[in-house]
Structures are given as structure tokens and as C-alpha cells.
Amino acid sequence: MMSVVHRLAAGWLVDHLSFINQCGYEICDSFAHPGGVTRNTCVTATEDCHSISTFAATPSSSDGPPNGPGDAVETEGKRAKMRYVFREEFFDISKPHIAAAPEELLCQGCPEVSLTEIKANSNREEHQEGAKSDIGGSLATARKKRKRKGVFNQGELDALEYHSKVRKLIWEGTLHLVQEGLKSGFLHHTTAKLSCKNNVPQRIVCGLAELCEMAKQFPAVNESDHQAVYLLEEETSRAEQDLLSCVVENSSNCMRTIVLMGQKYLVPPKSSFLLSDISCLQPLLNYKKKYDVIVIDPPWENKSVKRSNRYSYLSSWQIKQIPVPALAAPNCLVVMWVTNRQKHLRFVKDELYPHWSVKTLAEWHWVKITTAGEFVLPLDSLHKKPYEVLVLGRVQGDEKEDLSKSEGVLPIPEHQLIVSIPCSLHSHKPPLAAVLAEFVKPDVECLELFARNLQPGWTSWGNEVLKFQHIDYFTLLQNEN
């Protein structure tokens, strides 16, 4: 499965949507096999009829290789192809969220701008935002404007200084990758509007985090007679309590469906997950796997999260308690998503990674662009940037073991860009499997912590680990010819 559209010296242009749709969401139904029982098939995700009881799976055959995303299956003389695809309207980012000034357009080339000029531009942006808000006459906005008056707090000054160091790398690297994308037709200047966009709920309420919170009240399980792994099989039913106390594994070559709290989720082949609160990580440790790649996307504390009751966040102290050393194989590659607050970046590099015996090797950036190849936000915008940071490091251990583990593997470059059209769903990060493949050996064990979706070949943990697997984010395609 490759999500990489173009690979240049600066980094990668990645197709997130294509990656999801290559994860094996084909329906492996018994009607596709000789002697199988024909079952009804549904065409819309919301009316899907493949689920069997509270905790269900689609029937499958383990014989033969898995069907690929474009493969058809034989069924009684006809070629039938049925698969779920992620709804493409969630990636229809055709216009920037905030339009850039003509001179700030990516195609104009990176202007040389000093730190003083960036500050001045940010003040101008503040003034423009304030002027817009004044139409509504908000008292809070008026207070904010009085308080600001061109004065930057220390956090903002740190962020501006960091930005002034990386902006040229980001601008020039993104420009090269976008030019390739425009040449190949992956990116395009005109975008047709998708007719069903307005019918799609932007936030499907799953109640997964609440379920994990509720699970803490369940009676404690006796670990000696409790299984560490639950294998997804056909036509099985299991209580929510059992599913929240062990790793759930789909070891088959077929997608399964699972129902939790009346909500249906798709589980891709060769994937496993633990749905739990951070205080209930023991089942992951009982899984007895050591991971060669660990990707972490913690819910960092910030002002908007503090103001909102929708999202919980973790303190630095809580993040330090994550048992990365117990989960990591020797020379494990650790990748941490970090917000643009310098306080968090310093914490990861100076405190967290040393605490886990991880040596920092690189800082990469995920750059968000539109389908036309423009930044989703002006690059020099003060409050929100069109990029996020990834800090990469390796677990340090026995020198000889580390050397043998890194043989035949490319060293991690100090700076790379991952450029993609972002999903409009909050915090749906681009896949890293394909971009990290150059720097790890094949067939390694991979783990994502604080995950919100699943992927083949990975173990995923989080209290919303099935969030973007919800069936309403997908459409079922049926073709017969």
C-alpha cells in the first residue's frame, strides 16, 4: 500500500484518501466462493446488513491471497466487486481556510522576510481580524484588542523565532512537491464541487471515550484466567466489557465489522487495537509484543482545548507515564506529533525523550495544502500555521544491538516534509507507514498510541481508536459487469 504520490529530496507528497481506500475494505462474502451461501448485500453504508449480532464480523475465507483494492471476486459467473471507500468529500479542501495575500501565494516563491517583518505582518493580521469582529461588536474581542496592541507574549515570541528559522525550508520544499503534483495531475487548479458534501455530518458522535471512562467502573478482571487477545471471528458476540479489557485482533485477510454501543465500525485486515483509557494500558503490555516503530499523537494541552469541554488533554506529567520503554524493541523509531507551541517541542526534546532513553534525530513538518496546491492557511499567520511538527528519535540501548538493527537501513534525515491535502475531520493525521518505510526494516511491528483509526499491519491504542472507522464515514460501492 503506497500513499506516496511523489518523493523528492525535500520530502513526500502524500495521498491520504488513497491510503485509506487501499486498506482492504473489500467485503469477503461467502457468496463469492463455490458452495457458499448467497447473502443480501447493501449499497449504502448506513443500511449495511453484514453485521451479525452485537459484536459481529463479515464472513470470510482464509484460503488464498487477500483481494486488493481493485480486485474483483468471482460470484456465480459474474464478476462482483464490493468495497467500502472513505467519503472523498472529507478531503475536498479546494480553497484555503484563510486566503493569503497575492504576494504570499506559494507559487510566488519564498520572500525573504525578517523576524521584525513577520511580527509586523502578524500585527496587521490581528488588526484585520479585529476589524472583521467589530461588525458583530463583541465585548470579548474588544478586550482582546485592547490587551494586545502589538505586544507579544513570550510563547508567541518563541513561536515566531522558530517559524522564522523553518519557513524557508517549508516554503521551498512544499513548492517543489506541489509543482510535481500539478504536473502529474494529482493537484489541480479547478475543483468540481461534490454534490453530497452538505449531507455529511462533520462530527459523528460515537461515545467511545465515554465508554472507556465507564469501563473503569467495571469489576476488575482476573488476569490469570482472562485472555490477553480477542480474535475477531465470524458470527461471534461479545460483551463491551470483554472488548475493553483485551487487545482485539483481526488476523484474517478480510475486513470485519464490529458493533459497540449500537454504532458500527470497520476493522481492516491484519490490524489489532485496544480501546481503553490511558489508565487501562495493561492489556497492551500483556500482548507481549515489542515494537520497532511507535507513533504517538497525544492530546496536548492548549487554550482552545481548555475552553472546550469536547476534548480532554493530558499534562506533561501524564505523557511521561506512557510506558514506551516497555513497549519498544531495541533501536525502536519513535515519532511524536507536536503542536506548534514551543513549550511542548522543548518538553519532548529536552525532557520526555531523555526520560524514555530516546535520542532525538530529526524534526519533520506535515504541511497542509489545498487540492490546488496552496497552503490551507497563510504561512506567516500568527495564530495557526499550515504545518505541524513531528519529532523523530530512536531508543538507545546496547550499542552492538543498535548497530545490527540499523544495518541496511537509511539514516533519518534531519528535515523532511510530508505534504498532503488534510482531512476536514479534526485530528485525522496522514499515514506515516509509507514515508517511514525507507528507515525501517521490512515486516516490522508498528504501534500507534492515541490513534483514532486503524491500519493493516499496525496495533493501535486510544480511547477513540475506532473513531474514524465509523461506517458513516464510508460509502459502499457495488459494481457488477
Side-chain angles (χ1 to χ4, degrees), residues 101-224:
E103 68 276 8
E104 291 176 333
L105 292 172
L106 179 63
C107 58
Q108 297 298 318
C110 182
E112 291 293 337
V113 180
S114 68
L115 187 55
T116 310
E117 287 172 297
I118 293 173
K119 287 181 190 175
N121 290 341
S122 298
N123 273 327
R124 192 157 55 246
E125 178 197 323
E126 281 281 351
H127 179 73
Q128 286 166 350
E129 280 184 16
K132 278 184 207 166
S133 304
D134 276 355
I135 298 165
S138 158
L139 183 63
T141 306
R143 279 198 197 116
K144 185 176 164 187
K145 276 173 64 187
R146 273 202 305 275
K147 180 185 167 189
R148 168 103 20 212
K149 288 189 179 172
V151 179
F152 294 94
N153 64 38
Q154 192 54 50
E156 287 166 337
L157 287 171
D158 290 349
L160 286 168
E161 189 175 346
Y162 176 81
H163 175 69
S164 68
K165 288 174 183 170
V166 299
R167 68 186 293 278
K168 190 174 181 185
L169 277 172
I170 290 172
W171 195 309
E172 291 179 351
T174 304
L175 180 57
H176 291 146
L177 286 159
V178 162
Q179 284 170 338
E180 287 298 309
L182 289 167
K183 264 190 250 173
S184 67
F186 172 67
L187 301 173
H188 36 87
H189 287 300
T190 53
T191 307
K193 290 290 164 199
L194 293 158
S195 57
C196 51
K197 189 171 183 180
N198 295 332
N199 303 328
V200 181
Q202 278 294 299
R203 190 165 173 255
I204 293 164
V205 180
C206 307
L208 293 171
E210 290 79 4
L211 181 61
C212 292
E213 193 61 36
M214 200 167 62
K216 290 197 235 175
Q217 313 307 317
F218 292 156
V221 292
N222 184 348
E223 287 196 15
S224 60

Side-chain angles (χ1 to χ4, degrees), residues 296-314:
I296 312 169
D297 184 16
W300 295 103
E301 178 188 337
N302 65 45
K303 285 175 190 171
S304 63
V305 165
K306 273 186 167 179
R307 283 194 298 266
S308 164
N309 292 322
R310 270 174 56 187
Y311 307 108
S312 58
Y313 60 86
L314 294 182

Side-chain angles (χ1 to χ4, degrees), residues 277-349:
D277 184 85
I278 194 168
S279 62
C280 307
L281 273 172
Q282 193 57 42
L284 191 59
L285 297 167
N286 296 347
Y287 196 34
K288 304 286 189 218
K289 281 194 178 184
K290 294 284 186 178
Y291 297 94
D292 304 284
V293 176
I294 300 179
V295 174
I296 312 169
D297 184 16
W300 295 103
E301 178 188 337
N302 65 45
K303 285 175 190 171
S304 63
V305 165
K306 273 186 167 179
R307 283 194 298 266
S308 164
N309 292 322
R310 270 174 56 187
Y311 307 108
S312 58
Y313 60 86
L314 294 182
S315 67
S316 299
W317 179 85
Q318 287 171 305
I319 292 169
K320 276 177 87 170
Q321 307 314 306
I322 301 165
V324 166
L327 295 164
N331 206 41
C332 170
L333 175 60
V334 179
V335 183
M336 174 80 77
W337 288 96
V338 188
T339 67
N340 285 314
R341 284 187 73 184
Q342 292 307 292
K343 172 184 164 186
H344 295 149
L345 194 55
R346 282 195 299 269
F347 165 70
V348 170
K349 294 197 292 187

